[in-house]
Amino acid sequence: GESVGLHLPTLSVQEGDNSIINCAYSNSASDYFIWYKQESGKGPQFIIDIRSNMDKRQGQRVTVLLNKTVKHLSLQIAATQPGDSAVYFCAENSGYSTLTFGKGTMLLVSP
Amino acid sequence: DAGITQSPRHKVTETGTPVTLRCHQTENHRYMYWYRQDPGHGLRLIHYSYGVKDTDKGEVSDGYSVSRSKTEDFLLTLESATSSQTSVYFCAISPGGHEQYFGPGTRLTVT
């Protein structure tokens, strides 16, 4: 079957570079956002989340920035490694207990 | 995969046959979800459950039904499989309806 990564925007970086993946969300009332990583043939993996009362949240090698004015979310990965190669997508809460997912960006890391 | 298993992992079936996919969790989480993932569409919610015997429809529920008779199991049934239901199906669980954790997926091919 087709890979989920086909037809997605692609970001290509060198190992050691910092990567920035962007996401525009649609609902100004959304108050919770998540970034997921999906490797080929696997289920999406939770990376980091942020609530709308925050502008920035840091994890291990990752930082999420939220700009509510322009409805924009970004994921920064420091010192990108080949193991970071995957599809990354954002999600926003679309109801009390449901999420709406973006289509994703493929990150390719060259050694 | 956060204590989530899906079975079967791969299935090929013929048009018109019923198919049931199983999601099993060991986390005792209240919320469970079924998604399908197709190139160009990302993850789309089929049905979800917010407790035993409590379910609701998602974005693409036509042709699918679900049941949850126990906290740990969430079944997705295709009443009469069609070729348009060829997809990768993911189950997810959530303790409180916000962050979701995904299973490994089931690849279903309807011929």
Side-chain angles (χ1 to χ4, degrees):
Chain A
E2 288 188 75
S3 165
V4 68
L6 288 178
H7 315 302
L8 291 177
T10 299
L11 174 65
S12 296
V13 301
Q14 294 288 120
E15 182 177 1
D17 288 351
N18 296 331
S19 302
I20 300 176
I21 301 170
N22 297 303
C23 176
Y25 63 92
S26 57
N27 187 352
S28 57
S30 294
D31 59 4
Y32 179 72
F33 306 87
I34 306 178
W35 279 100
Y36 285 92
K37 171 186 179 183
Q38 187 175 22
E39 297 174 274
S40 181
K42 296 185 177 180
Q45 176 186 355
F46 176 96
I47 301 173
I48 190 168
D49 59 359
I50 187 169
R51 297 192 178 274
S52 60
N53 60 353
M54 304 171 69
D55 296 324
K56 178 179 179 179
R57 189 168 187 215
Q58 289 185 292
Q60 185 177 12
R61 278 202 308 120
V62 295
T63 301
V64 56
L65 298 177
L66 176 63
N67 185 330
K68 296 180 286 294
T69 303
V70 295
K71 295 190 289 186
H72 183 268
L73 199 64
S74 68
L75 178 71
Q76 300 179 358
I77 304 174
T80 314
Q81 303 166 1
D84 294 327
S85 293
V87 174
Y88 291 81
F89 48 90
C90 65
E92 61 184 296
N93 67 313
S94 53
Y96 176 72
S97 56
T98 58
L99 297 172
T100 298
F101 291 82
K103 291 183 173 56
T105 297
M106 176 172 286
L107 176 66
L108 296 176
V109 183
S110 304
Chain B
D1 289 322
I4 311 170
T5 57
Q6 292 184 233
S7 58
R9 294 292 314 280
H10 301 271
K11 186 170 182 66
V12 179
T13 192
E14 293 184 348
T15 299
T17 60
V19 176
T20 295
L21 308 183
R22 179 183 183 234
C23 178
H24 179 76
Q25 62 149 328
T26 57
E27 305 294 327
N28 200 36
H29 285 345
R30 177 182 175 190
Y31 295 86
M32 298 185 75
Y33 306 81
W34 276 108
Y35 292 90
R36 60 179 290 173
Q37 187 175 45
D38 305 287
H41 290 281
L43 282 161
R44 292 181 290 175
L45 182 65
I46 305 172
H47 282 279
Y48 68 104
S49 170
Y50 46 95
V52 172
K53 298 193 186 324
D54 292 324
T55 65
D56 206 350
K57 295 180 178 180
E59 177 188 355
V60 290
S61 60
D62 287 349
Y64 302 95
S65 62
V66 289
S67 67
R68 192 169 177 201
S69 59
K70 297 184 292 184
T71 298
E72 58 266 34
D73 289 324
F74 193 33
L75 303 180
L76 176 71
T77 297
L78 288 64
E79 305 290 349
S80 177
T82 68
S83 58
S84 65
Q85 293 177 311
T86 291
S87 188
V88 180
Y89 291 86
F90 288 102
C91 174
I93 63 175
S94 176
H98 289 92
E99 69 276 26
Q100 295 182 19
Y101 302 96
F102 285 80
T106 293
R107 184 173 292 276
L108 177 67
T109 302
V110 184
T111 61

